[in-house]
């Protein structure tokens, strides 16, 4: 495998992950932006609590407007909270909400098997389980700090 193959594999895995996510309440059409954008912002907020929108945009490479949209979706879902920056009252600081929101629990409970079967072009449960186990091993090796579930 070379760098290009690895990059393309990453894109394929992102697509499978996006397809595995349950649709948000009210449907995907209700919200601007993609699930990918929301996950990138949520991940950054988890790693860098009490960040301003501009800081998140700088770290993720997303436009500030997309970060603001993602934060609005995450706030509506109960996954993040905002507080006023004590050093600059015009800025809001974003952090993970305490506890697990209903939406986060729903997303964590979703399995990849249906999306994986679609990507593999098979309905063979043994093949889907084999690839799922391989992905679990890969995740364990590359994402040692990931949360269970």
């Amino acid at each position: 495998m070379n760098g290009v193959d690895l990059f393309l594999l990453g894109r394929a895995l992102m697509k499978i992950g996006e397809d595995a996510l349950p649709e948000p309440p009210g449907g995907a059409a209700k919200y601007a932006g993609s699930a990918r954008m929301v996950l990138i912002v949520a991940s950054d907020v988890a790693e860098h609590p009490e960040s301003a929108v501009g800081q998140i945009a700088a770290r993720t490479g997303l436009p500030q407007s997309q970060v603001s949209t993602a934060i609005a979706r995450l706030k509506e879902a109960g996954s993040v909270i905002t507080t006023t920056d004590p050093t600059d009252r015009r800025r809001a600081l974003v952090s993970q909400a305490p506890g697990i929101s209903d939406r986060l629990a729903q997303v964590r409970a979703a399995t990849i098997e249906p999306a994986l079967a679609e990507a593999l072009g098979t309905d063979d449960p043994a093949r889907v389980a084999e690839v799922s186990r391989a992905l679990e091993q890969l995740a364990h090796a590359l994402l040692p700090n990931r949360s269970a579930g």
Side-chain angles (χ1 to χ4, degrees), residues 12-136:
L13 292 174
M14 285 193 314
K15 175 74 170 109
I16 293 167
E18 287 174 350
D19 291 347
L21 294 174
E23 193 168 289
K30 176 181 175 186
Y31 299 99
S34 67
R36 182 180 306 174
M37 172 191 68
V38 174
L39 289 172
I40 289 169
V41 171
S43 175
D44 186 81
V45 169
E47 290 178 29
H48 306 281
E50 296 189 359
S51 290
V53 171
Q55 294 170 317
I56 298 166
R59 283 191 299 265
T60 62
L62 293 170
Q64 194 161 328
S65 62
Q66 287 186 357
V67 172
S68 294
T69 297
I71 290 168
R73 284 178 61 177
L74 290 164
K75 193 172 178 179
E76 181 180 322
S79 296
V80 300
I81 56 170
T82 57
T83 56
T84 302
D85 183 344
T87 62
D88 182 350
R89 298 199 123 340
R90 298 169 295 175
R91 282 188 344 166
L93 302 177
V94 185
S95 297
Q96 280 185 303
I100 296 176
S101 69
D102 291 343
R103 175 66 179 157
L104 181 56
Q106 179 188 34
V107 168
R108 285 184 176 174
T111 64
I112 65 165
E113 283 72 15
L116 189 55
E118 178 74 24
L120 293 170
T122 184
D123 57 359
D124 178 5
R127 177 71 178 138
V128 172
E130 174 188 22
V131 175
S132 182
R133 282 191 301 276
L135 290 173
E136 185 62 39

